[in-house]
Amino acid sequence: NLSHNLISKVEGLEGCTAIKNLDLSHNYIDKIEDCEGLKALPELTSLDLKNNIIDNKDGEGVLSFLG
């Protein structure tokens, strides 16, 4: 759980490939590009980005970005 941590960019998760659920709610992520680090999580099945700036702008775009 990384909620409420003033995170603005997802990075440094390359060694955490077993993460299945990630809560990044209530942070300061504001662009799809700031989620690039999520691509290093092949097992990720649940992602919570609510109450981030991106949530209001293009939350749906994150899913496409992660492909």
Side-chain angles (χ1 to χ4, degrees):
N1 182 343
L2 296 173
S3 65
H4 300 275
N5 276 294
L6 306 176
I7 294 169
S8 60
K9 185 172 185 174
V10 182
E11 57 189 353
L13 298 175
E14 293 78 15
C16 304
T17 57
I19 292 176
K20 293 183 181 187
N21 303 301
L22 185 58
D23 182 353
L24 289 167
S25 62
H26 301 275
N27 280 293
Y28 291 97
I29 300 167
D30 70 348
K31 306 186 286 264
I32 290 174
E33 295 79 18
D34 293 336
C35 296
E36 183 78 28
L38 295 174
K39 290 182 176 180
L41 306 176
E43 300 296 318
L44 188 66
T45 57
S46 174
L47 175 62
D48 187 347
L49 288 172
K50 70 179 170 241
N51 294 309
N52 277 279
I53 301 166
I54 196 170
D55 183 46
N56 296 325
K57 293 193 317 190
D58 198 13
E60 292 285 323
V62 173
L63 297 175
S64 298
F65 177 73
L66 295 176

